[in-house]
Amino acid sequence: MTTASQREQGRNLGLYATLLPPLIWMSLLYFVPLLILISYSFWRLESYDIIREFSLINFQTIFGNAAYRAVLLRTIGTALIVTLIDIVIALPVGFFIARYGGRYRTLLTVLVILPLWSSYLVRVFAWKVILGYNGVLNNALLSLGLLQQPSSLFLYNQFSTLLTFVHIWLPFMILPVITAFERLPVSLLEASADLNAGPWTTFRRISFPLALPGVLAGSISVFALTMGDFITPSLVGSTNGILLGNVVSSQFGVAYNWPLGAAFTLVVVVIVFVALTLVSRWGALESL
Amino acid sequence: MVSWIRKDSSSMRAKTRAKTTRQSHWTAVLLGGLLALIAICIPIQGVQAKDCTLTAIVWEGYTDSSFEKPFEQETGCAVKATYAGSSDEMFAKVRAGGGRTYDLVSASGDITERLYRAGLVMPLDTSKLKNYSSVFAPFQNAKWNTFDGKPYGVSFAWGPNVLVYNTKEVAEAPTSWNVLFDPKYAGKITIPDNPMTIADVALWLGMSDPYDLSDEDLAKVKDKLLELRPSIRKFWSTAGELANLFESGEVVMAHAWPLTYTQLSEAGFPIGSASPKGKLTGWTDSWMVSKNSRNADAAYQWIDYILSGPGQKGIMDVTGYSGATDLGVEAVGLERAKKLFMDDLSLHKEIKMWQSVKNYDKWVQLWNEIRS
């Protein structure tokens, strides 16, 4: 016969055994790489050798060089603009699907997610095909007689970068917004109408504040994804529009300056972490 | 293995049945997943060690099924190639794997010394190569692949960086790089996304040694590049991307490798190639073998094959570059060899071949500034 404390012990052991695999998993795939990244960012490169000594030279390079500062600011700016545009598009779409979707709600939600099932690269290349010199848009404008000859204004600039980002990350914004609007109690809306509030007032004072955590949850996804991306700017971006991701990839792949690359990555991680902390205060993480 | 976990956890079943089954279920799933991961990883390593697969990091065109197949049939060794977009990428990738990832590198003169200094390549025993005597005499023991008196690489191909243009859009064959600055073609040109392009700009500016640039020289190069930047539609990074830029009408003129000319003219695209006299950079490429190569013998076989007639012809046909052996001259015929300047090497002497740059950190920095 087993005593109570033995049983207690057995249960604890079982609990630890259950926790062990995810713990190992998280350590090996998350914490260890993060620690390696952080330590690299404080090392430095000297004539193609990585010197494993503590130094802040990488951060001096990043913040001291005007070109790198410009890239840093451009990346944050781009991420913020993309997030803002996605919010503006996602709010009406999400509201419509959640409120008036009715029995088509699932179908409409699936349609929002549908692009995510195709490859990211395919979606970026699609924009190249649409916006290119001999692309779909130019051909359409030519045949409509709006243009005399193809224009190269659509591709390889800030506009095409923003457009592509806004499009490929949009589902990440719409989904939490739909969820947020779905949770909105109808009784509150009815009460608002009973008190003679117009639709705009209701939206401003009731719907939007209650949907805000969802919007913030989407924002953090869109912001973080844009901050780290390097494929979109290198495929459709302008000649002077590289983002932090491009600098990181060139430090790792081209220049073999892993310490500097790691330092740049750490800057991105810190920015995203700060953003995460800010939005989690408004309950964004509970509505993910 | 799942049933074993179930049996083991049955001792805990006494208390709350539902809870323990849920727990053991998750343990089973997680442990099973981990074991499956390990199981997937082990056989792959086993297979790789057994087969004869040569891994190589090369420029586009240096491996192609047209001349790879005969080698594979003869030796039973398959070649698995990775394309590099720039010398730096090539160096970084060899370096990252500690020389274990790739057996072979098709290194250009700007990284041969770097690879040697980093201790990533092995000295070669040229007596193991029966075709070595066929390599052009000035290319044997050449300064770009011989260090400490020992050969670390075998030259096999070379060529200039040229001006490639769409013959429909550019009526007159350009004779000078200045055409890139012509406002007529603004927004329609492309140059390589590669710090070595700085050497070309230095040449355009008339600097005598484009690989030894002072800070002042670099500042002048920067001004010239900034002047050019508004005209650039896009920086190209791989030959495939460049061909695509031409075909989609995005650009009409490029600073490029002859490979693009060869590929596009074969595809029937209206393409021309110009080499402004005296102002050319270029490269002489050497096969180098990783110090930690697991297939060194097969690597020697591959090098020997590329020096032979079929190997040389294969590379020249695919890339349009010049070969580096007498057997290659024989294989393509004297007339074509003359066109590729393989008979007197007069062009080779005229080209400022890529070589290692001492203040390369500054070059990369400058390039990042141009790009941002």
Side-chain angles (χ1 to χ4, degrees):
Chain A
M1 227 189 106
T2 53
T3 65
S5 75
Q6 265 175 331
R7 246 180 290 153
E8 182 78 3
Q9 242 177 357
R11 202 173 48 202
N12 275 347
L13 206 71
L15 183 71
Y16 292 139
T18 322
L19 278 177
L20 200 61
L23 206 68
I24 295 173
W25 185 266
M26 281 292 283
S27 307
L28 286 181
L29 291 175
Y30 190 77
F31 295 117
V32 172
L34 200 64
L35 279 176
I36 295 175
L37 178 87
I38 292 173
S39 40
Y40 260 100
S41 69
F42 291 108
W43 294 339
R44 66 179 192 276
L45 189 79
E46 246 171 48
S47 56
Y48 306 111
D49 276 318
I50 293 168
I51 313 284
R52 285 155 205 258
E53 280 167 26
F54 180 84
S55 110
L56 289 171
I57 189 139
N58 298 319
F59 297 97
Q60 278 166 10
T61 312
I62 294 172
F63 297 109
N65 182 305
Y68 290 146
R69 272 205 309 269
V71 174
L72 191 63
L73 290 177
R74 185 188 303 132
T75 310
I76 298 175
T78 308
L80 285 175
I81 295 171
V82 170
T83 311
L84 214 67
I85 299 177
D86 271 350
I87 292 175
V88 171
I89 301 174
L91 276 177
V93 174
F95 188 75
F96 176 82
I97 293 177
R99 281 277 140 242
Y100 306 106
R103 61 200 178 94
Y104 296 111
R105 200 155 69 194
T106 315
L107 178 73
L108 289 171
T109 312
V110 168
L111 283 178
V112 168
I113 315 172
L114 203 61
L116 293 181
W117 294 342
S118 72
S119 154
Y120 166 96
L121 273 178
V122 170
R123 279 174 284 151
V124 181
F125 267 105
W127 280 112
K128 258 179 100 159
V129 172
I130 293 170
L131 301 172
Y133 189 72
N134 289 330
V136 178
L137 182 63
N138 264 319
N139 279 332
L141 291 177
L142 282 175
S143 60
L144 287 173
L146 290 171
L147 277 181
Q148 296 309 311
Q149 54 177 19
S151 163
S152 38
L153 279 179
F154 309 124
L155 191 57
Y156 301 133
N157 52 34
Q158 207 64 22
F159 162 76
S160 53
T161 313
L162 282 178
L163 183 67
T164 310
F165 272 138
V166 163
H167 168 244
I168 55 178
W169 305 141
L170 192 56
F172 294 97
M173 183 67 87
I174 297 184
L175 278 183
V177 171
I178 294 178
T179 321
F181 279 128
E182 269 174 354
R183 286 184 194 162
L184 205 68
V186 183
S187 54
L188 278 182
L189 301 180
E190 286 168 354
S192 175
D194 288 346
L195 294 167
N196 267 339
W200 174 239
T201 314
T202 307
F203 179 81
R204 202 162 45 88
R205 303 198 48 183
I206 294 169
S207 308
F208 184 72
L210 287 173
L212 192 63
V215 171
L216 290 173
S219 301
I220 197 67
S221 304
V222 173
F223 182 79
L225 287 166
T226 314
M227 281 297 294
D229 190 80
F230 66 98
I231 295 168
T232 294
S234 70
L235 284 180
V236 302
S238 89
T239 46
N240 50 6
I242 56 168
L243 300 185
L244 272 182
N246 303 84
V247 177
V248 170
S249 92
S250 90
Q251 295 303 340
F252 275 96
V254 177
Y256 186 67
N257 199 339
W258 288 14
L260 187 57
F264 269 113
T265 316
L266 199 63
V267 170
V268 176
V269 171
V270 167
I271 292 173
V272 172
F273 189 76
V274 167
L276 203 62
T277 317
L278 285 179
V279 298
S280 67
R281 291 194 175 177
W282 284 294
L285 297 186
E286 284 86 56
S287 13
L288 264 179
Chain B
M1 63 189 134
V2 171
S3 64
W4 166 73
I5 291 162
R6 284 256 166 82
K7 221 178 279 168
D8 190 53
S9 63
S10 66
S11 64
M12 305 194 301
R13 207 176 287 164
K15 209 140 193 229
T16 44
R17 187 171 281 257
K19 198 175 170 187
T20 39
T21 18
R22 202 165 58 228
Q23 272 182 2
S24 72
H25 177 72
W26 280 111
T27 320
V29 167
L30 284 164
L31 276 181
L34 266 177
L35 287 175
L37 256 180
I38 294 164
I40 288 166
C41 296
I42 290 167
I44 288 174
Q45 278 179 343
V47 168
Q48 263 181 352
K50 249 181 252 165
D51 270 13
C52 172
T53 309
L54 265 178
T55 50
I57 180 152
V58 299
W59 298 108
E60 255 171 290
Y62 282 167
T63 53
D64 188 83
S65 55
S66 64
F67 56 91
E68 223 177 272
K69 279 269 154 60
F71 174 77
E72 213 179 307
Q73 277 157 10
E74 204 179 301
T75 61
C77 280
V79 181
K80 202 176 126 243
T82 306
Y83 291 150
S86 71
S87 284
D88 298 317
E89 191 188 338
M90 207 180 251
F91 178 79
K93 286 195 168 154
V94 175
R95 177 75 192 247
R100 252 166 250 109
T101 325
Y102 306 105
D103 298 310
L104 280 161
V105 195
S106 71
S108 300
D110 54 329
I111 57 163
T112 43
E113 196 180 337
R114 240 193 276 171
L115 287 166
Y116 158 72
R117 286 199 183 285
L120 294 167
V121 286
M122 60 161 81
L124 298 175
D125 179 3
T126 52
S127 67
K128 279 195 198 165
L129 300 166
K130 61 179 191 297
N131 294 330
Y132 189 72
S133 57
S134 171
V135 175
F136 296 154
F139 285 16
Q140 292 187 26
N141 298 315
K143 65 175 191 303
W144 57 83
N145 55 26
T146 311
F147 309 105
D148 264 349
K150 277 184 238 155
Y152 279 80
V154 178
S155 311
F156 69 99
W158 59 277
N161 293 314
V162 293
L163 186 66
V164 175
Y165 58 97
N166 182 329
T167 47
K168 266 205 188 128
E169 306 286 333
V170 184
E172 245 174 274
T175 53
S176 151
W177 292 104
N178 288 335
V179 71
L180 291 175
F181 296 84
D182 191 332
K184 212 170 22 176
Y185 306 116
K188 292 260 158 204
I189 66 162
T190 176
I191 63 172
D193 190 357
N194 180 352
M196 288 311 277
T197 308
I198 290 170
D200 293 272
V201 181
L203 264 190
W204 303 345
L205 288 168
M207 295 171 191
S208 55
D209 186 351
Y211 302 102
D212 184 16
L213 300 177
S214 65
D215 290 356
E216 261 172 64
D217 294 336
L218 283 173
K220 280 184 205 155
V221 169
K222 186 180 171 181
D223 288 344
K224 189 81 174 166
L225 272 167
L226 286 176
E227 188 191 326
L228 185 62
R229 197 175 70 181
S231 303
I232 299 171
R233 180 79 171 131
K234 176 131 188 34
F235 290 92
W236 65 268
S237 50
T238 64
E241 184 192 7
L242 178 58
N244 190 271
L245 284 171
F246 269 108
E247 282 168 331
S248 59
E250 299 289 350
V251 301
V252 298
M253 224 185 302
H255 175 275
W257 306 328
L259 171 68
T260 301
Y261 170 76
T262 313
Q263 284 178 340
L264 286 174
S265 58
E266 253 168 35
F269 191 84
I271 194 90
S273 165
S275 357
K277 209 171 162 47
K279 296 267 169 99
L280 291 176
T281 61
W283 69 92
T284 312
D285 291 346
S286 313
W287 287 118
M288 299 181 108
V289 182
S290 275
K291 204 170 226 167
N292 296 312
S293 167
R294 280 179 289 226
N295 301 302
D297 290 334
Y300 270 104
Q301 280 180 313
W302 171 258
I303 296 173
D304 215 22
Y305 172 68
I306 292 300
L307 298 180
S308 74
Q312 287 276 297
K313 186 170 184 302
I315 282 185
M316 283 188 263
D317 284 349
V318 173
T319 60
Y321 303 159
S322 305
T325 75
D326 295 330
L327 288 168
V329 175
E330 256 171 58
V332 295
L334 215 64
E335 200 180 322
R336 189 155 152 230
K338 223 184 182 96
K339 271 191 204 151
L340 290 169
F341 301 92
M342 288 162 69
D343 54 340
D344 59 354
L345 295 177
S346 58
L347 184 67
H348 191 271
K349 279 173 215 132
E350 194 192 307
I351 299 172
K352 300 266 191 221
M353 288 291 172
W354 280 356
Q355 46 182 273
S356 10
V357 176
K358 282 202 186 70
N359 51 354
Y360 195 65
D361 289 354
K362 283 188 182 157
W363 285 42
V364 175
Q365 179 93 358
L366 169 61
W367 197 251
N368 275 336
E369 282 172 31
I370 294 297
R371 294 288 279 110
S372 54

